[in-house]
Amino acid sequence: MWNKINYSFPVQLFFMHLKKNIPLLLFWVLLVLVILQKFGTVLGIPFLFLDPEYLNEVSWKGFFLMGIAFGVFTMAFHMTSYILDGAKFKFLAVIPKPFIQFCVNNGIIPLGFYLLYFYSFISFQLDNEHDSLWEIVEFFLGFSGGTILIYSVIFAYFAFTNKDFFVIFADSVEKSLRKTKIPRANILRQIKENKESKDKVLNYIDIRRGIEPVRKDLSKFESHQLLRVFDQNHLNLFVIQSVLIGLILFLGFFREYPILQIPAAVSATLLLSIIMMLVGALAFWLREWLIPAMITAVLVFNFLSKSELLNRPHTAFGMDYEVTPAVYSLENLQKLLHPDTLEKDREMTLRILDNWKAKFPADQKPRMIFITTSGGGQRAALWTLNVLQNLEKESEGKVFEHTQMITGASGGIVGAAFFRELYLKKLEGEDLDYSDRKYLDQISSDNLNPIIFTLLVNDLFIRNQYYDYNGRKYLQDRGFAFENQLNINTEGIMDKPLSAYAMPEFKGKIPMLPITPLITNDGRKLFIAPHSMSYMGISAKQSEGIDEKSQSIDFMRLFKDQDAKNLRFISALRMGATFPFITPHIQLPSTPQMETMDAGLSDNFGIQDALRFLYVFQDWIAENTSGVTLLTIRDSEKSTEIDQRIHPTLFQKLSTPLKNILINWDNIQTLNNEVLYNLFKESMGFDLDRIEFEYSTSQFLRERGLVDSVGVVNQEQQEIQRASLNWRLTAREKVSIIDNIKSVQNRDALRKVRGIRYLVPEVD
């Protein structure tokens, strides 16, 4: 009995994969780690597979497409395995429907994966607190339907192509291939390997009769006759792979149609399928030359990647890339920071401050409010909008009226900019309620699927589609996909040039909102605002001979001739929210070429910019206001419990240095901001206080008893439960973010906001 099990075809195939097909198994291992939430959880990668969103909703349709994708991936695994190793099992050539029989017997690994996926996605959906279990049943049926459909189509194709006329056609293909030296050498090598093969199989699973013994008398069949049966499936692999690539390219050309914007996880799985089949094809034809050939291909591609064709810039829409580029040099930067320029920009901002103060009674000093908001993808965008809506409600509309400036990074600025636009439209007479829950739904709608699909299809395969904006052509890359989807989600209300905000800001109707991406060339900030803010780049005392390196560059002045004022506003938002590998770094029209990335790298919380502005205009603030209140909106906890250190494994030791840098980046910025805030509070000539809002998962864990014996929240569990750093949120994550305003700390912060003295009578 043991021999029958051990030498059964399914078990022998499983052992064969473990012994020699490790590259194929790595694809499965990656997917297993993802669906078990052991890889990419902080970035929300597992949720793309466990909660696929299609047409802006999680439904059976998304799971149906997920089933199709996994079906294609599984069939890619079967076809690749069959081409690499099918000929070793000669008995396959004399049984009906050899490939289909092979797939059934090669099902241990796919079956194990499917069981893990069912367990993972059902557990995840149950934890998502659905109103009805029928929804989960619908998801299961949708996934099963997609899987069954793709298997039926592919198996039907293989059943059809096993007809006699196709064998004859495959035979003619084989004869043509034998005319060339390399395929002929591979076929002869396979014949020799078959004769020397020690693989032993006693029985196999027959799709019609169950377990059947393997026919042992194959001596009367010539080896090349047996191989001919396998050759026809090589042609099938080519046909199916061509169809799959053609389908993806078709979707890429017409991706602007919502119905063709498939879930991000589906795109990724289809790409993995293509890669797996390519690896199998190369391994079959190149054999021991596979590794040298791949290394050579990588080196050649690396060399060719310097070409202009492969280095077309990711552009900022609205800017002019055809005129002479701006001069990006130390000499020119120094000219832009001339004392007269600084004073001119400072005088313009003083007029803005005067207009802001004119909104209030002349005999009273208003409280000036600054809002700082942290980055953090869609999580931060939703949390910021949620807090701002509650601030306006609790203060009866006073907070935003008194707000002079909003600073921050990444998703937080996206959420704040959205609220500011709603507020402006309300002031201009539109009939809307900026506290409506529907705006939370809009800002939290999926923005990742089109980005990932564009990354995997257009940015890799199709880079010849362009987009017309303001009379100029720009490449349709994943940056375009981000902006286009953000426009769709928010009904296009922020689709305007940067200059459209110049007059509302000047009149004090809305707060100033500079966007400050980091310049990767030299580490400076790029201040993007409708009014020049050169005074934020260097101290006013530079003319006194102080040797000071400028800290920022004024966008409007440096790129004046490149039509800076017509920069698309959501392009500016994208420049400040550039998530590595997801949204591309933007290259600006300068010499040398300036490249920007996420503002969170330099100041993720916006505190530095707010305090710098207060420092520059401290005299005016002291004379004209009753002081300043900083309202800080963090998408992370300021203080967390210190975890007990455990003995790390070898792999953990290797990753610890980089992990420590990433984890402590937030802590380092927080500590630096604490030093700056306390220094300013003690030295400024006006009253300065702070009210903080935090998106925290500690309360969530405590309510569910997920703490240790002394009531301390585990930091790892806390990180798992919090919403992912992504441009797509699950239903559970949205609820977690929105309901977090009800935490004890945030309720206390709202109480403090209600207690602010917004107007104080002047004392003669």
Side-chain angles (χ1 to χ4, degrees):
M1 178 62 68
W2 168 250
N3 281 341
K4 287 184 178 180
I5 296 175
N6 188 43
Y7 291 104
S8 65
F9 194 29
V11 173
Q12 285 300 302
L13 282 174
F14 178 72
F15 287 154
M16 181 194 66
H17 289 310
L18 293 179
K19 287 189 293 184
K20 64 178 293 291
N21 288 336
I22 298 301
L24 298 187
L25 294 184
L26 290 178
F27 288 97
W28 290 106
V29 170
L30 175 62
L31 288 178
V32 167
L33 291 176
V34 167
I35 65 172
L36 293 180
Q37 301 186 47
K38 300 297 182 182
F39 176 81
T41 303
V42 173
L43 301 178
I45 295 175
F47 308 146
L48 303 178
F49 291 81
L50 303 176
D51 200 43
E53 188 167 326
Y54 178 59
L55 297 177
N56 290 324
E57 66 173 350
V58 177
S59 67
W60 67 269
K61 299 173 186 176
F63 280 96
F64 178 81
L65 294 174
M66 200 73 249
I68 290 178
F70 280 151
V72 170
F73 180 80
T74 303
M75 293 308 300
F77 171 70
H78 288 321
M79 288 186 287
T80 303
S81 302
Y82 186 76
I83 281 185
L84 292 177
D85 303 301
K88 293 182 178 181
F89 303 96
K90 293 185 286 187
F91 74 91
L92 286 172
V94 296
I95 63 176
K97 306 294 186 285
F99 177 71
I100 297 177
Q101 302 276 28
F102 179 87
C103 293
V104 172
N105 286 271
N106 194 39
I108 290 180
I109 293 173
L111 178 61
F113 172 79
Y114 274 83
L115 292 175
L116 282 176
Y117 181 74
F118 286 142
Y119 168 78
S120 299
F121 106 73
I122 291 175
S123 299
F124 180 85
Q125 293 298 333
L126 288 173
D127 195 38
N128 243 359
E129 301 176 355
H130 285 276
D131 295 333
S132 170
L133 289 178
W134 174 243
E135 288 184 89
I136 300 177
V137 174
E138 277 188 338
F139 297 163
F140 176 82
L141 293 176
F143 178 85
S144 302
T147 305
I148 293 172
L149 175 64
I150 196 66
Y151 284 158
S152 300
V153 171
I154 294 179
F155 281 148
Y157 170 75
F158 274 96
F160 175 75
T161 55
N162 279 339
K163 300 295 182 181
D164 290 343
F165 82 88
F166 193 84
V167 174
I168 295 173
F169 176 65
D171 185 45
S172 66
V173 172
E174 177 195 355
K175 289 178 180 178
S176 299
L177 292 175
R178 283 173 178 260
K179 294 179 182 178
T180 60
K181 294 181 179 181
I182 294 179
R184 179 176 176 81
N186 282 339
I187 291 174
L188 293 175
R189 188 187 301 274
Q190 254 190 314
I191 294 173
K192 182 180 178 181
E193 290 174 355
N194 290 343
K195 291 179 178 179
E196 299 174 352
S197 175
K198 298 181 180 179
D199 292 309
K200 179 181 178 182
V201 177
L202 297 179
N203 54 73
Y204 68 97
I205 300 175
D206 188 281
I207 57 176
R208 295 177 300 175
R209 294 189 293 268
I211 299 176
E212 286 286 306
V214 170
R215 179 175 179 177
K216 295 182 173 54
D217 183 17
L218 300 175
S219 58
K220 65 179 181 180
F221 295 96
E222 294 291 337
S223 293
H224 74 273
Q225 292 176 323
L226 298 175
L227 286 174
R228 186 179 65 181
V229 180
F230 299 106
D231 285 338
Q232 64 177 312
N233 292 290
H234 300 163
L235 181 61
N236 285 336
L237 173 66
F238 173 77
V239 171
I240 291 177
Q241 188 171 29
S242 299
V243 170
L244 183 58
I245 293 176
L247 173 64
I248 291 180
L249 293 178
F250 171 79
L251 294 174
F253 277 114
F254 298 99
R255 70 182 187 277
E256 293 184 27
Y257 294 93
I259 196 172
L260 297 181
Q261 294 177 2
I262 59 179
V266 174
S267 303
T269 305
L270 292 179
L271 182 66
L272 287 178
S273 304
I274 293 176
I275 294 174
M276 179 181 285
M277 288 190 284
L278 287 175
V279 168
L282 291 173
F284 173 76
W285 290 112
L286 299 177
R287 295 285 171 158
E288 66 270 15
W289 291 98
L290 175 63
I291 300 301
M294 292 182 67
I295 293 175
T296 302
V298 170
L299 293 176
V300 170
F301 180 79
N302 180 63
F303 176 77
L304 295 177
S305 64
K306 297 186 297 183
S307 67
E308 185 176 346
L309 179 65
L310 297 177
N311 275 282
R312 284 178 287 184
H314 297 286
T315 53
F317 302 149
M319 297 193 69
D320 192 347
Y321 284 77
E322 300 298 325
V323 298
T324 303
V327 179
Y328 178 30
S329 65
L330 291 177
E331 180 181 0
N332 193 39
L333 295 184
Q334 198 62 31
K335 291 179 181 178
L336 295 176
L337 294 173
H338 189 277
D340 292 342
T341 300
L342 297 180
E343 184 59 27
K344 181 179 179 180
D345 291 349
R346 187 174 178 276
E347 288 297 326
M348 171 59 74
T349 303
L350 285 173
R351 293 174 63 187
I352 294 175
L353 293 175
D354 288 336
N355 291 335
W356 171 84
K357 186 177 184 299
K359 297 187 297 183
F360 309 105
D363 60 342
Q364 293 184 317
K365 288 188 174 183
R367 189 73 175 182
M368 179 175 282
I369 292 177
F370 275 64
I371 295 174
T372 66
T373 178
S374 70
Q378 199 165 45
R379 175 184 71 199
L382 177 58
W383 174 237
T384 298
L385 179 60
N386 186 33
V387 172
L388 291 176
Q389 285 185 336
N390 279 274
L391 283 173
E392 281 297 275
K393 181 179 179 181
E394 294 295 325
S395 68
E396 298 179 347
K398 294 178 181 177
V399 163
F400 227 62
E401 183 184 16
H402 284 253
T403 301
Q404 169 54 37
M405 179 175 285
I406 302 173
T407 58
S410 192
I413 281 293
V414 173
F418 183 48
F419 183 84
R420 186 181 74 153
E421 179 62 34
L422 293 172
Y423 182 85
L424 176 61
K425 288 191 175 299
K426 179 73 172 179
L427 287 181
E428 292 177 342
E430 289 200 23
D431 184 20
L432 61 82
D433 178 9
Y434 47 67
S435 296
D436 197 317
R437 173 68 179 256
K438 73 177 183 180
Y439 298 119
L440 296 176
D441 295 333
Q442 289 182 8
I443 201 65
S444 61
S445 294
D446 173 47
N447 203 8
L448 188 64
N449 281 345
I451 297 175
I452 296 297
F453 186 76
T454 304
L455 168 64
L456 298 179
V457 178
N458 293 76
D459 285 8
L460 293 180
F461 299 110
I462 310 170
R463 296 207 70 191
N464 61 349
Q465 289 181 291
Y466 290 87
Y467 161 70
D468 288 326
Y469 178 79
N470 200 24
R472 300 188 181 107
K473 278 185 154 185
Y474 302 93
L475 188 68
Q476 288 191 24
D477 55 10
R478 59 190 186 279
F480 164 79
F482 172 86
E483 294 186 21
N484 186 56
Q485 191 61 46
L486 180 61
N487 250 346
I488 293 172
N489 294 345
T490 58
E491 299 181 349
I493 68 170
M494 292 187 290
D495 192 7
K496 53 177 65 175
L498 182 65
S499 58
Y501 291 104
M503 193 55 65
E505 285 189 14
F506 176 75
K507 293 181 177 180
K509 297 173 68 174
I510 58 174
M512 300 171 69
L513 192 148
I515 301 168
T516 56
L518 179 74
I519 303 171
T520 60
N521 307 63
D522 54 24
R524 291 178 171 89
K525 289 183 180 181
L526 182 65
F527 264 79
I528 304 175
H531 299 281
S532 290
M533 303 176 69
S534 59
Y535 49 79
M536 298 291 282
I538 202 164
S539 68
K541 294 185 178 181
Q542 61 154 335
S543 59
E544 298 179 6
I546 298 176
D547 184 14
E548 180 184 358
K549 179 180 179 179
S550 61
Q551 298 99 56
S552 66
I553 299 173
D554 184 73
F555 173 79
M556 292 293 286
R557 291 195 181 278
L558 180 62
F559 294 103
K560 178 182 178 181
D561 295 333
Q562 289 71 38
D563 207 9
K565 67 179 185 301
N566 282 319
L567 169 70
R568 193 186 195 189
F569 182 66
I570 54 176
S571 287
L573 292 177
R574 173 164 61 96
M575 290 169 69
T578 303
F579 197 85
F581 306 111
I582 303 300
T583 46
H585 296 175
I586 286 182
Q587 288 85 37
L588 294 171
S590 65
T591 304
Q593 193 170 66
M594 180 185 291
E595 187 171 284
T596 65
M597 68 177 299
D598 199 294
L601 189 62
S602 60
D603 182 14
N604 194 48
F605 303 99
I607 298 293
Q608 295 177 22
D609 293 334
L611 294 179
R612 176 105 193 200
F613 187 90
L614 294 180
Y615 175 77
V616 173
F617 297 99
Q618 56 182 304
D619 294 338
W620 187 95
I621 293 172
E623 181 180 350
N624 293 278
T625 74
S626 63
V628 175
T629 296
L630 285 180
L631 299 180
T632 66
I633 305 173
R634 297 177 56 101
D635 87 320
S636 61
E637 290 171 291
K638 184 176 178 179
S639 300
T640 57
E641 294 290 347
I642 301 173
D643 277 350
Q644 183 68 35
R645 190 169 183 83
I646 59 175
H647 297 296
T649 64
L650 175 61
F651 289 153
Q652 289 174 332
K653 288 180 180 179
L654 294 175
S655 63
T656 293
L658 179 60
K659 183 179 178 181
N660 285 341
I661 293 174
L662 295 175
I663 290 176
N664 285 302
W665 193 259
D666 183 276
N667 294 329
I668 291 170
Q669 289 198 22
T670 297
L671 292 173
N672 288 337
N673 289 337
E674 289 296 287
V675 172
L676 282 174
Y677 171 75
N678 287 307
L679 179 64
F680 270 69
K681 184 176 177 62
E682 294 171 2
S683 60
M684 289 294 97
F686 53 83
D687 180 55
L688 176 64
D689 63 6
R690 177 176 59 183
I691 301 174
E692 296 177 306
F693 293 86
E694 293 181 9
Y695 167 56
S696 167
T697 53
S698 298
Q699 183 180 9
F700 174 87
L701 293 171
R702 289 193 176 95
E703 288 175 353
R704 287 157 177 77
L706 299 176
V707 294
D708 61 18
S709 57
V710 294
V712 176
V713 175
N714 180 272
Q715 189 171 353
E716 182 178 354
Q717 277 292 328
Q718 190 171 336
E719 193 64 32
I720 291 174
Q721 290 295 335
R722 72 194 306 256
S724 54
L725 181 61
N726 210 326
W727 284 108
R728 191 256 175 175
L729 298 170
T730 66
R732 183 186 66 184
E733 290 175 326
K734 293 176 185 179
V735 171
S736 168
I737 294 170
I738 294 172
D739 287 351
N740 214 267
I741 196 68
K742 301 174 185 176
S743 71
V744 174
Q745 177 182 343
N746 290 324
R747 288 201 307 268
D748 184 59
L750 287 174
R751 180 185 57 79
K752 292 178 180 178
V753 169
R754 289 195 298 270
I756 294 175
R757 293 189 66 191
Y758 292 95
L759 292 173
V760 177
E762 290 192 25
V763 178
D764 295 332

